Amino acid sequence: CRTHKIPVNYSSAIEIIANRRVVNHDVGQIIAGDSSVKYFINIAGCGYDGFVASKINRLSSQRKSNKAIYLFEVVKNLFTYRPVEVSLKVYGSLLYQGKIFSMAIANCKYNGGGMMQSPEATYNDGMLNITLIKPRNLWLIIFNLYRLFNGTITTHSMVVSSKVSAVEIECGQDNFLEADGESVMQGNFKIKILPASVLIYSGMG
């Protein structure tokens, strides 16, 4: 909704539908180690993103889900989370190997209630944006959280950023993957972009 300027007001959102303006939108395809397939249109995340999503999804199943709980879980889990080991391959070449704090594989810029985790992502360019945050001192990460909201996160030295059409991740079962906020799996996975795969109502332009 934020990407396509769709308001949260129901009447205004219905006006956008009535105007029938649609745009072609890329889709991310996730292929798990067991060959099962999932899809997302916004952002997939692993490391801390996936870890928090797994906690929040569990609370949602118990009917304990709202914005305050989400923010509480994001902050609380900072003090218990342990960075996970991954091997990140792009086009058959090793892009990164080691521990990560968090990683977003993005089709759009925004997630988590307004965070701009992948400021260079574009929904219709046929590419995925990777934003990988290396593990650092917890207080350094906390001090730089504001960068997730002003679009400067990729300028920090603890961040690796890349634009690709496909990525392969080798990791352990301690690594959770979420897609559009839903906890989908643990362990190895591949993601590739499927260009212009769905039509989306849009309030842009």
Side-chain angles (χ1 to χ4, degrees):
C1 288
R2 192 179 298 273
T3 292
H4 290 285
K5 303 188 185 305
I6 299 172
V8 295
N9 177 273
Y10 286 165
S11 297
S12 300
I14 289 169
E15 285 181 18
I16 290 173
I17 296 173
N19 289 336
R20 301 180 68 84
R21 171 171 168 73
V22 295
V23 296
N24 284 306
H25 199 294
D26 300 341
V27 171
Q29 182 186 61
I30 303 167
I31 305 171
D34 62 2
S35 298
S36 61
V37 178
K38 301 284 186 180
Y39 299 91
F40 65 95
I41 63 169
N42 191 41
I43 293 180
C46 62
Y48 190 66
D49 290 26
F51 181 73
V52 171
S54 71
K55 299 287 187 182
I56 293 172
N57 289 170
R58 194 174 301 126
L59 290 172
S60 297
S61 68
Q62 301 168 6
R63 300 181 182 275
K64 299 177 181 178
S65 179
N66 57 45
K67 191 169 185 177
I69 289 175
Y70 173 79
L71 292 174
F72 176 75
E73 287 295 318
V74 166
V75 174
K76 182 188 76 172
N77 285 291
L78 280 171
F79 299 94
T80 58
Y81 173 73
R82 295 292 178 266
V84 294
E85 185 87 19
V86 304
S87 175
L88 174 61
K89 294 180 180 179
V90 175
Y91 311 130
S93 298
L94 188 66
L95 178 65
Y96 179 86
Q97 184 166 16
K99 290 189 175 182
I100 63 167
F101 174 76
S102 180
M103 180 167 59
I105 302 101
N107 194 24
C108 301
K109 301 179 191 296
Y110 304 100
N111 70 338
M115 290 189 295
M116 202 185 308
Q117 196 161 352
S118 296
E120 296 163 9
T122 305
Y123 69 89
N124 62 354
D125 65 351
M127 302 293 281
L128 295 162
N129 268 75
I130 296 173
T131 304
L132 184 155
I133 302 175
K134 300 175 184 178
R136 290 292 186 268
N137 176 279
L138 178 59
W139 294 109
L140 177 65
I141 291 173
I142 292 173
F143 179 75
N144 282 281
L145 285 177
Y146 75 94
R147 294 179 180 272
L148 288 170
F149 292 90
N150 69 7
T152 63
I153 187 65
T154 57
T155 65
H156 198 281
S157 60
M158 67 180 173
V159 175
V160 175
S161 179
S162 184
K163 191 180 278 275
V164 303
S165 60
V167 61
E168 180 177 355
I169 308 292
E170 294 179 2
C171 54
Q173 290 296 312
D174 58 341
N175 183 42
F176 292 82
L177 176 67
E178 60 88 10
D180 290 341
E182 298 294 326
S183 187
V184 294
M185 58 166 287
Q186 294 168 255
N188 299 342
F189 62 91
K190 299 177 184 178
I191 295 182
K192 67 178 181 179
I193 197 73
L194 304 177
S197 293
V198 66
L199 291 173
I200 298 287
Y201 284 108
S202 179
M204 294 191 302

